[in-house]
Amino acid sequence: MHTVVVGTSGVTASDVLAVARAGARVELSDEAVAALAAARDIVDALAAKPEPVYGVSTGFGALATRHISPELRGRLQRNIVRSHAAGMGPRVEREVVRALMFLRLKTVCSGRTGVRPEVARTMADVLNAGITPVVHEYGSLGCSGDLAPLSHCALTLMGEGDAEGPDGTVRPAGELLAEHGITPVELREKEGLALLNGTDGMLGMLVMALADLDTLYKSADVTAALTMEALLGTDKVLAPELHAIRPHPGQAASAANMLAVLDGSGLTGHHQDDAPRVQDAYSVRCAPQVAGAGRDTMAHAGLVAERELASAVDNPVVLPDGRVESNGNFHGAPVAYVLDFLAVAVADLGSIAERRTDRLLDKNRSHGLPPFLADDAGVDSGLMIAQYTQAALVGELKRLAVPASADSIPSSAMQEDHVSMGWSAARKLRTAVDNLARVIAVELYAATRAIQLREGLTPAPASRAVIDAVRAAGVEGPGPDRHLAPDLAAADAFVRAGHLVAAAETVTGPLR
């Protein structure tokens, strides 16, 4: 099995995906263990002094003014975990929790938190055992980190609360640790706080969303090309020289992808009807501009994620010169903004795809295709209600595009008086990404059917490859009305798994 080695300088997006989704093992580098021990020595020295130090010998948040005596400090660290493990609602997905745990371990291994090496080793052991803490949907405001979600993870390290075992069964965490030979941690000064103060949940969800969107944006380029072909549109608008004079890189990439898919088509630009089109509708002609803007948004979000993956987010932190200083680096604003920005881009991409689908189904705008792509219009309804479903999904995407990061609800007796809501931004983006896959699947279903209804005309080789692959995946072609939900589900699975892109790439080579 692939192993990810965690050092002091952060991790990569591919590391996160390997641990969260592929179950990769985690190991600590010798460098990380040395850094952990050195930082712990600093914390122990401060703990021995009579002067109070935040997070080491004081309370937390609005209670930071109380000096805690040495005999109560272990209890203090246990209590912060127990009291902050206050999440409610449905369970969060396993991959999100694994990303959350792994990214907290990444910061711990930076040597900036003061956590002992044995605590970090226990975090790695829990991940490697396939034990997943039960984390709930609600409980993070995205400031002071993803507090409640991270607290539920820390609770498992203590052998308390519930967790899911590798067999998928939820059981008491203490039982699962014992079965895998893992000793629960006894938290000491600073350690409970260090396990909670991070943007790890929202960052993990950002990394996974970017990976999913990379596939979906390529998929959207393919379906936009198929629709252009089905509508007998002109591919002249995809010429590289047109996009070179407005040099947005995402736009150029989307246009190049569409042009590659349409190479060799016998439909595009050659079979205009009795009212020749000088220009196609915006939803067809401007597909690269809209998808390209989303791609550029992804590039910006990726840069933010890259910086955050290299960060040590905690409060207080142990600095290289030995100082332990309070700070505000746990504020989730940088991540929250791009999570919201991506939701806007996703909503717009879904919206333009729905407009193309509607155009394919309208006999007044489809240039010779039957109403709703029906076999016997009137007797058959064709794809009429598939477009209703797509429209409902797009309506939801628009609601999910309302930014969470524009909101703030003060907490902790006004000590934490401005929060990022980044966790909420991440949760709604996950829903938006899921729905975008469904929207693209409906356009794929309609466009492939429409191309097949253009009898006597030869589609591009890449289009033919897509049609053959999607039919082999169980998505039926033209014909009388049938139960549509299974076809749509099969198309959704085809898109989500990356098979649409893979089918096109058998002809085009790697898409951008």
Side-chain angles (χ1 to χ4, degrees):
M1 182 181 291
H2 178 59
T3 298
V4 173
V5 178
V6 184
T8 60
S9 57
V11 296
T12 66
S14 60
D15 291 336
V16 177
L17 296 170
V19 173
R21 291 182 163 172
R25 290 186 58 78
V26 177
E27 292 182 1
L28 311 186
S29 71
D30 293 341
E31 174 195 32
V33 173
L36 284 159
R40 186 65 209 180
D41 287 344
I42 293 171
V43 170
D44 286 342
L46 289 171
K49 292 184 176 182
E51 297 85 6
V53 177
Y54 177 70
V56 176
S57 52
T58 70
F60 309 117
L63 304 176
T65 55
R66 178 177 172 181
H67 184 217
I68 307 298
S69 60
E71 67 273 12
L72 293 177
R73 291 175 190 170
R75 178 179 162 193
L76 169 69
Q77 299 299 323
R78 292 192 298 273
N79 283 350
I80 190 176
V81 172
R82 290 167 177 160
S83 65
H84 286 43
M88 295 182 73
R91 283 179 58 196
V92 171
E93 304 86 355
R94 182 175 185 270
E95 66 177 15
V96 172
V97 179
R98 285 185 63 82
L100 177 75
M101 296 167 65
F102 175 66
L103 287 169
R104 184 75 320 223
L105 177 60
K106 173 267 297 182
T107 282
V108 164
C109 287
S110 69
R112 298 284 170 257
T113 69
V115 167
R116 289 168 295 151
E118 48 264 49
V119 175
R121 289 193 184 100
T122 302
M123 296 170 77
D125 289 343
V126 169
L127 281 166
N128 292 338
I131 297 170
T132 307
V134 170
V135 172
H136 299 279
E137 181 80 17
Y138 302 106
S140 174
L141 298 179
C143 199
S144 291
D146 291 317
L147 286 175
L150 283 163
S151 297
H152 282 277
C153 293
L155 202 64
T156 293
L157 299 178
M158 293 166 50
E160 300 181 17
D162 292 328
E164 180 186 293
D167 63 353
T169 302
V170 174
R171 297 167 52 197
E175 292 181 10
L176 289 167
L177 294 186
E179 282 184 9
H180 290 84
I182 301 171
T183 302
V185 297
E186 290 285 341
L187 297 176
R188 290 171 49 181
E189 291 94 341
K190 176 77 170 61
E191 291 180 334
L193 186 61
L195 293 175
L196 315 186
N197 257 326
T199 55
D200 308 295
M202 63 183 90
L203 176 58
M205 286 185 275
L206 172 60
V207 169
M208 289 186 284
L210 286 170
D212 294 337
L213 288 173
D214 180 67
T215 297
L216 291 179
Y217 267 79
K218 292 174 185 174
S219 299
D221 291 341
V222 175
T223 56
L226 294 174
T227 296
M228 177 180 280
E229 197 169 24
L231 292 172
L232 309 179
T234 175
D235 58 1
K236 290 182 179 179
V237 296
L238 305 174
E241 57 270 25
L242 292 174
H243 299 279
I245 62 175
R246 193 190 191 195
H248 294 288
Q251 176 180 322
S254 284
N257 285 346
M258 289 180 66
L259 202 56
V261 171
L262 293 170
D263 186 38
S265 174
L267 284 79
T268 53
H270 302 297
H271 300 281
Q272 304 292 351
D273 53 32
D274 292 336
R277 283 166 283 162
V278 176
Q279 301 178 121
D280 290 309
Y282 284 9
S283 60
V284 178
R285 190 186 353 147
C286 301
Q289 284 77 9
V290 172
R295 285 168 170 272
D296 291 342
T297 301
M298 288 169 56
H300 170 61
L303 178 60
V304 171
E306 183 180 339
R307 290 169 177 162
E308 199 76 1
L309 288 167
S311 300
V313 177
D314 193 17
N315 180 49
V317 291
V318 181
L319 293 172
D321 61 7
R323 287 180 295 143
V324 175
E325 296 285 2
S326 292
N327 67 93
N329 282 343
F330 50 68
H331 199 288
V335 183
Y337 290 171
V338 294
L339 288 163
D340 279 334
F341 198 177
L342 286 171
V344 171
V346 164
D348 202 32
L349 188 65
S351 180
I352 197 170
E354 183 276 328
R355 287 294 79 204
R356 289 192 296 264
T357 302
D358 183 66
R359 185 165 288 272
L360 287 167
L361 306 189
D362 183 354
K363 70 180 182 63
N364 296 313
R365 294 180 290 143
S366 66
H367 307 283
L369 291 169
F372 304 107
L373 306 181
D375 186 63
D376 184 4
V379 174
D380 294 311
S381 294
L383 306 191
M384 179 190 295
I385 307 305
Q387 184 267 333
Y388 276 45
T389 299
Q390 191 186 40
L393 289 163
V394 170
E396 179 72 1
L397 288 178
K398 292 174 181 178
R399 290 186 287 274
L400 292 167
V402 175
S405 58
D407 186 23
S408 176
I409 299 178
S411 58
S412 191
M414 291 299 287
Q415 175 71 9
E416 298 167 11
D417 60 350
H418 184 82
V419 298
S420 77
M421 297 294 184
W423 174 272
S424 299
R427 296 305 295 164
K428 69 185 182 66
L429 178 60
R430 282 181 70 81
T431 303
V433 170
D434 267 353
N435 283 351
L436 177 62
R438 297 182 180 107
V439 169
I440 292 170
V442 176
E443 184 180 14
L444 171 67
Y445 189 42
T448 53
R449 178 185 281 215
I451 288 173
Q452 288 188 286
L453 289 171
R454 296 289 190 189
E455 295 180 2
L457 301 177
T458 304
S463 302
R464 183 74 261 169
V466 168
I467 292 169
D468 290 345
V470 78
R471 298 291 174 255
V475 181
E476 297 291 336
D481 279 358
R482 58 184 167 272
H483 183 191
L484 277 187
D487 275 356
L488 296 177
D492 178 32
F494 186 78
V495 169
R496 208 174 286 266
H499 296 327
L500 170 57
V501 174
E505 287 182 335
T506 61
V507 176
T508 65
L511 295 174
R512 295 167 60 180

